[in-house]
Amino acid sequence: MSAKTDLESSSATATQSQEMNGADVVVESLIREGVDVIFAYPGGASLEMHQSLAKRKDDIRTILPRHEQGGSFAAEGYARVTGKAGVCMATSGPGATNLMTAIADAFMDSTPLVCITGQVYSKFIGKAAFQETDFFGMTLPVVKHSYLVLDVNDLPRIIKEAFKIATTGRPGPVVVDIPKDVQQALVSPVWPSDEDVPYRESKMPAKASDQELENVLRRIEDSKRPVIYFGGGVVSAEAHKELTQFAERAGIPVASTLMGAGSFPETHELSLKWFGMHGSAFGNWAVHQSDLLLTFGARFDDRITGDVTKFAPQAEIVHIDVDPSEHNKNKIVHHPIVSDIKHALGRMLELMDQKGFKAPEIQAWRDQCAEWKRDYPFSYNESEHIVPQHAVEVLMELTKGEAIITTGVGQHQMFAAQFYDFNHPRSLISSLGLGSMGYGYPSALGAKVAAPDREVIDIDGDGSFAMNVQELATAKIEKIAAKAMILNNQHLGMVVQWEDRFYNSVRGNTILGDESNIGTPENLGGLYPDYVKIAEGFGLPGRRVHKKSELKDAIQEMLDSDEAFVLDVITPYDEHVLPMIPAGKTVDQMIVR
């Protein structure tokens, strides 16, 4: 995957400041890195840093989440919308461990995240002190880098280094663990410039050679059934314009992963939307039958490939990625190229002009893809009730496709991606590699802070929403107008779908209410809990809707709200997400209708 590599230079040489304590150094370092917001929950071991933040509230906004996980998911949402590192902070022990899910999530989805944690006094480390955990060791498998700061003089360099590591190359999370005595220690800090802080990885992102890229162009000229398959690396690299120009110039159909959604407009005639387990049938068929698969900033995830040995069996595969560890990890490819994807795409566009590139004659292939799109669109059966797919379609219509959509994890996540068309990058914010329930609403808060002028809606399931429902308090008190549209079926919908398909519909703890009185559109008395009353308890407006005739008005009421709003949409629980390629199976075994 790839990312921006231009680093803003703060000064030509290191400079020294007056004496201050370590906590003040941390906050000053954040401000020097351009951080304008931090999501931070205080505790004994991080108290010093919160005191420093309080003194600098005109320079950096501190948002108090109601759970550390909510704060760290919010920081991820902020990062995914801006491309900058999201920043969160927690105290030692349980405060720090509550960040772990978001750290792993950021690692899987290549999200730039800087997590600062307080730690017990240095003299107590390793002695099972109150609220002590080895957070440095605990996070090593799921970070780009972890620091345990034992010398206050190292803080300015480490903070600058943390941001450089988090945002360059393939982005990811960095942890900085700071004992309380280091926060309290006095120092006259020396502020390093970017030149004073070397890049810790072996080298800055590579750039493909012209020879490698010319070889790709020759393969395209000779192809009969080419497809572009791209992922989140295109988003991280801000390479969406180059991708669109490249696809149009070559005339090649384009399929994305969910991480890449929106970097190529999904309403474009060449778009195959996204493919994989629950992706478009037409996208899956096109990739499966391709003779040349151009893979840009993607990693051949199992949810994309199914049985990887039978993935794109006829294709010659080109894989351009900034991270060489992804080459031949999941799928053996014919042409692995290590490169920043923005450079590779931009340079191929230049080489097309310089070398007299001739687009392949593939009208018959494009006609076939168009026929699949026409005959097998995402679809659903009409119902007298509000089905989740219809709710997403109405939201799409009323927002004209211009909203930022966040999601939890489950059926609602797939329905959101299937029935909302994304035409801009950084508009679908979802936990995709780790699949973290509870991600939707906190990430919507971070997204709204990042883009206050855009409508931000969390399309959520009742199971996922309940996991971080406390963040409604953050929305109210911090005046963050992120909306939540809950597709409420009273079940863990995706698990229920698997129970129906593969486990004879035996319910193994997937009903979220009273099993003897399950709430449905026809049994409103069984609905549990009452999300409108919960919203009201947090001081926010809400509305429940179960009639199709009232859906449009209810969604418009949510959109018109000047503050956060909870819209509880009651849906049947027997809807299944289709298409579906069962886990470990192939496109030939896809359930289409």
Side-chain angles (χ1 to χ4, degrees), residues 312-330:
Q314 306 168 53
E316 187 173 3
I317 300 177
V318 174
H319 186 195
I320 304 179
D321 202 289
V322 75
D323 185 353
S325 73
E326 290 297 345
H327 287 144
N328 299 317
K329 183 175 83 174
N330 296 325

Side-chain angles (χ1 to χ4, degrees), residues 76 80 105-106 108-109 111 232 257-261 274 299 301-303 407-410 413-414 417 428-436 439:
E76 278 198 89
R80 291 274 292 272
D105 188 85
M108 291 284 281
D109 284 350
T111 302
T257 69
L258 280 173
M259 281 298 302
W274 57 281
R299 59 188 183 88
D301 174 73
D302 65 290
R303 284 299 194 260
T407 79
V409 171
Q413 179 186 31
M414 298 297 101
L428 174 62
I429 312 299
S430 189
S431 172
L432 295 163
L434 193 64
S436 303
Y439 180 89

